[in-house]
Amino acid sequence: MKIVIEKPLDGEEEQVIVKCHNINPELLDLLNSLKAQNILLIAYASGEIHRIPPADVLYIETVDNKTFLYCAHNIYESKQKLYELEEFNLRDFMRVSKSAILNLSKVKSLVPSMSGKIEAVLVNGERVIISRFYVGALKKNLGI
């Protein structure tokens, strides 16, 4: 594979051009991660509007029809529904239950339970339950 990097002319917009014979899953992952670089999640806390980089989010959860972004030190409310945030195809994010999306890069360890569920222990010590329905997809994503 040949990689070419060119400096755009003055006034010209930066762009990425991909020439390929076949689009494979690895290429799609790469393109999605490039697109995700520019995404900021809009959320609210204490009457202020915040722009949150997805990499700062530990997990996203819906409680009582409200969507919350949980970060290391703050919790923000999003006006978007969980399925709308899921449509962003954020890198390292995965639906883990009907009411939660988890940032897999923030998982420190996984603890299996007797009921077939898995408990994810996050880097800040919080725990998120991964329902049985999503355990197979989680194992596939992590290569377990």
Side-chain angles (χ1 to χ4, degrees), residues 20-115:
C20 61
H21 294 286
N22 297 313
I23 298 176
N24 58 35
E26 292 82 16
L27 179 59
L28 283 174
D29 285 345
L30 176 63
L31 295 173
N32 283 333
S33 67
L34 285 172
K35 282 175 53 178
Q37 298 289 325
N38 298 325
I39 293 175
L40 290 173
L41 303 173
I42 305 301
Y44 303 83
S46 305
E48 297 177 344
I49 300 171
H50 298 268
R51 298 170 60 201
I52 314 294
D56 291 352
V57 177
L58 300 170
Y59 65 100
I60 304 167
E61 183 177 43
T62 298
V63 179
D64 296 330
N65 290 322
K66 293 183 179 181
T67 304
F68 297 96
L69 308 178
Y70 293 85
C71 298
H73 302 292
N74 293 311
I75 300 172
Y76 301 94
E77 184 176 351
S78 173
K79 300 290 184 203
Q80 294 175 297
K81 302 287 185 199
L82 204 59
Y83 75 89
E84 293 172 322
L85 293 168
E86 190 175 26
E87 287 174 356
F88 283 128
N89 290 323
L90 300 172
R91 182 182 173 101
D92 295 329
F93 281 75
M94 178 189 163
R95 176 74 76 121
V96 294
S97 71
K98 258 174 56 172
S99 61
I101 297 173
L102 179 63
N103 184 345
L104 297 177
S105 69
K106 303 296 183 181
V107 174
K108 185 169 96 175
S109 63
L110 298 170
V111 181
S113 74
M114 296 298 270
S115 64

Side-chain angles (χ1 to χ4, degrees), residues 120-136:
V121 180
L122 305 181
V123 292
N124 68 343
E126 280 192 69
R127 296 172 179 267
V128 174
I129 300 295
I130 297 152
S131 73
R132 290 182 306 201
F133 182 79
Y134 295 94
V135 167

